[in-house]
Amino acid sequence: MNKYHELMINTSNICKKNNVDDWELIISDSVSVSANSFKHEIIKEASSFSSALSIRVIKNGKEGCASTQLLESSELASLIERAIDNATLYDKTEKPIIFDEKVSYKEIEKLTELNYNLADIKKLALKALETLYQKDNRVIDGSTCSAAYGKSIRYFASSKGLELIQSSDDAYLMANCKVSDNSDIQNAYSVKEGVIDNADITNSVDKAIKQLNPNKVESGSYNIIFSPDAMNQILDTFFSVFTGKSSAYSLTRYKDKEGERIASEKLTIIDDPFYSGYRMQASFDGDGHPCYTKNVIENGVLKTLLYNLEYGSKCGKASTGNGYRSAISGASGIASYSFYIKPSELSLEELCKICNNGIYVTQMKGFHAGANAITGDFSIESAGFRIRDSKVCEPINEFTVSGNFYKLLENVVEVANDLEFDVTLSSERFGTPSVLVKDLAVSGK
């Protein structure tokens, strides 16, 4: 805190000398190490240390930002001068907003600090790869494992008396397993997060083997169960429809729909900056606003979109504590935290019984080209398994699932209890259980 506090004091003094009305100071410090293993050796390793500082000034009703990667007091005078110069280019009609409320901040969960160095990460990546080979003789070269650790510090201060700091860390171990039975080659991945010393990621071997020698599927309309991984990709791709920015520019059908039913009553979506056990929690956002847990959709009813101060003001709403501001560039926006579909108590097997006959989609690719986040339309190459007589049966691939995200949420039949999150080493991540959706178009053979 001491070096950050010194930078804050110097920022305040220089801004006063330059007749700046208000200012914000954002600092990020991070360290990360990573390694990738392939063919029994480390093929890539990295170790990085990065710092960034961004100053936002408000003067004469205009705002400007400037950033640097040097956390030195000697840099502040020229940085603030640049920010003031940039304010002269401010062309927005809205008055700049700075958070000015006396509020309390919830403390994040205290978890035992991780302590991995590059040597540790390299050993874990190599050990994980060896366990894949030992699991089954069908595992072939081309399988890879990666391990990574990251620690970050966020600091926020403003002319309104705010001074906030938070540190967090996380680690992951990931396997991308490739298998062959001499007639086909398939791959699957698995990942573990947090304490990874004894993490088991060999289930990637089992998943890949189950996918060997897939069949084709007839075109038609199917009930589809999306696996957590597949549904995570969908939720991530269309996340922007839940933001105040999209509402302000009429880029989401959910504009002015808060309080209305917009999805199946089986669907509840939560945004939780304090998700229990997660190592990258957040108590304040990029505007200095307190974070809090909220239901975005509750039993099918849209309770709120996500807002920062700027777009909350544009939409006539209060901030939901979802402001994002980069210390590297000063750019602002809206971000989620642990943004996830609430699981039920149903197992995947019970979900299959409800589905009876359909498709279990486990892999999807091509969202960058096959999805439109504005209209909600998507057409995505997929792979998975046929569901027959309430059981997951033979693997299938090379089919396309098409639909519309808004309609998909309306047609959710049920969700399972197998909630999984993607791994990001940041406070922003997406999570879902398996989700059963009715009547989706499939193009196959």
Side-chain angles (χ1 to χ4, degrees), residues 1 28 50 75 88 112 147 179 223-224 257 264 278 280 284-285 333 345-348 369 376 391:
M1 171 72 90
S28 68
S50 63
E75 293 286 312
T88 63
T112 303
V179 300
N223 295 333
I224 290 180
K257 296 294 185 181
S264 163
Y278 187 48
M280 293 286 188
F284 60 91
D285 74 356
E345 297 181 355
L346 296 174
S347 67
L348 176 59
K391 293 183 180 180

Side-chain angles (χ1 to χ4, degrees), residues 417-428:
N417 61 2
D418 54 346
L419 173 64
E420 294 181 14
F421 285 92
D422 56 6
V423 175
T424 63
L425 295 187
S426 75
S427 60
E428 184 176 10

Side-chain angles (χ1 to χ4, degrees), residues 174-203:
M174 181 182 295
N176 186 355
C177 178
K178 184 173 287 188
V179 300
S180 173
D181 64 355
N182 296 321
S183 62
D184 186 33
I185 296 176
Q186 292 291 330
N187 69 286
Y189 86 95
S190 177
V191 62
K192 299 293 183 182
E193 186 177 21
V195 179
I196 56 174
D197 302 76
N198 298 303
D200 183 5
I201 51 177
T202 58
N203 65 327

Side-chain angles (χ1 to χ4, degrees), residues 80-275:
I80 292 170
E81 183 178 348
R82 278 170 35 211
I84 293 172
D85 287 343
N86 289 336
T88 63
L89 304 176
Y90 185 81
D91 59 359
K92 296 180 180 179
T93 57
E94 301 89 355
K95 182 180 178 181
I97 304 171
I98 189 166
F99 185 61
D100 185 20
E101 295 181 28
K102 304 301 179 184
V103 294
S104 59
Y105 294 82
K106 181 178 177 179
E107 290 190 11
I108 63 173
E109 187 178 355
K110 288 181 171 60
L111 301 171
T112 303
E113 186 174 349
L114 301 176
N115 188 24
Y116 295 110
N117 57 35
L118 182 57
D120 298 328
I121 291 299
K122 290 166 65 175
K123 289 178 182 177
L124 288 166
L126 280 172
K127 178 183 175 183
L129 184 59
E130 294 308 314
T131 62
L132 299 186
Y133 284 110
Q134 294 166 9
K135 174 85 172 184
D136 195 285
N137 60 14
R138 286 170 287 186
V139 175
I140 62 173
D141 289 343
S143 299
T144 62
C145 288
S146 60
Y149 163 76
K151 180 178 181 179
S152 62
I153 297 174
R154 293 195 307 137
Y155 175 86
F156 181 97
S158 77
S159 54
K160 300 302 184 182
L162 280 180
E163 189 174 20
L164 308 166
I165 190 167
Q166 180 179 302
S167 64
S168 54
D169 64 4
D170 204 358
Y172 70 79
L173 184 64
M174 181 182 295
N176 186 355
C177 178
K178 184 173 287 188
V179 300
S180 173
D181 64 355
N182 296 321
S183 62
D184 186 33
I185 296 176
Q186 292 291 330
N187 69 286
Y189 86 95
S190 177
V191 62
K192 299 293 183 182
E193 186 177 21
V195 179
I196 56 174
D197 302 76
N198 298 303
D200 183 5
I201 51 177
T202 58
N203 65 327
S204 59
V205 179
D206 299 325
K207 290 196 291 185
I209 290 173
K210 288 179 180 178
Q211 294 167 186
L212 285 168
N213 302 303
N215 294 334
K216 306 306 177 190
V217 64
E218 297 284 348
S219 298
S221 178
Y222 289 85
N223 295 333
I224 290 180
I225 296 177
F226 292 100
S227 71
D229 181 58
M231 194 65 199
N232 268 338
Q233 291 180 274
I234 295 173
L235 193 61
D236 187 352
T237 299
F238 293 101
F239 163 72
S240 63
V241 306
F242 297 108
T243 67
K245 181 176 181 179
S246 292
S247 177
Y249 295 118
S250 299
L251 299 177
T252 173
R253 295 183 190 177
Y254 296 150
K255 179 179 180 178
D256 300 326
K257 296 294 185 181
E258 283 147 314
E260 297 183 20
R261 181 173 298 281
I262 52 93
S264 163
E265 64 179 10
K266 299 292 184 177
L267 189 70
T268 293
I269 296 180
I270 302 169
D271 183 52
D272 189 357
F274 303 100
Y275 190 88

